[in-house]
């Protein structure tokens, strides 16, 4: 049972990424595509947290009550997750600003209609 639970977060992360990729592939709206990209990036958060998690581990704050041999979770992956969240917010805001500019200049956010305007 523990073996299945050890791989379950990776399966959830893969499912979230796959769900976001499918959403991007079938999207008919640029705003929807940006939201699906955010969903896809959320899978990376789950993946990073799954990598750093250790069963029975505690927060890596060593002191008089926690000794060096105590299992702890990896703080580096938690920091990477926070960095991933910040980068994701910046990318999402930049992409949504681009969608607004496209909507203002072209009057549509449908990728198929934008393609027909080019040539």
């Amino acid at each position: 049972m523990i073996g299945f639970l050890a791989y379950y977060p990776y399966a959830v992360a893969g499912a979230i990424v796959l769900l976001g990729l499918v959403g991007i592939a079938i999207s008919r709206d640029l705003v929807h595509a940006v939201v699906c990209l955010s969903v896809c990036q959320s899978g990376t958060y789950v993946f990073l947290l799954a990598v750093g998690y250790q069963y029975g581990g505690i927060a890596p704050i060593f002191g008089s009550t926690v000794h060096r041999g105590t299992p702890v979770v990896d703080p580096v992956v938690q920091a990477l997750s926070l960095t991933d969240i910040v980068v994701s917010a910046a990318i999402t805001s930049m992409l949504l600003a681009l969608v607004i500019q496209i909507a203002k200049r072209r009057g549509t956010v449908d990728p198929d209609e934008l393609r027909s305007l080019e040539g």
Side-chain angles (χ1 to χ4, degrees):
M1 187 68 180
I2 293 296
F4 170 73
L5 291 177
Y7 296 108
Y8 186 69
Y10 299 108
V12 170
I16 293 172
V17 169
L18 184 64
L19 183 68
L21 289 176
V22 168
I24 291 171
I26 64 171
S27 179
R28 297 304 230 176
D29 189 341
L30 290 178
V31 175
H32 183 261
V34 171
V35 170
C36 288
L37 180 65
S38 294
V39 169
C40 191
Q41 287 178 331
S42 299
T44 61
Y45 311 152
V46 176
F47 176 75
L48 286 173
L49 292 175
V51 167
Y53 183 75
Q54 182 176 2
Y55 288 101
I58 61 172
I61 302 171
F62 296 103
S64 61
T65 58
V66 179
H67 303 289
R68 289 197 170 264
T70 305
V72 295
V73 294
D74 190 2
V76 174
V77 245
Q78 294 175 358
L80 284 173
S81 298
L82 288 174
T83 304
D84 194 13
I85 291 170
V86 170
V87 169
S88 173
I91 289 174
T92 301
S93 63
M94 185 187 71
L95 289 176
L96 288 175
L98 285 173
V99 169
I100 289 171
Q101 290 301 316
I102 290 171
K104 283 181 181 176
R105 293 179 185 214
R106 303 292 175 113
T108 183
V109 289
D110 186 2
D112 291 335
E113 291 181 23
L114 292 172
R115 186 175 304 138
S116 65
L117 293 175
E118 289 298 324

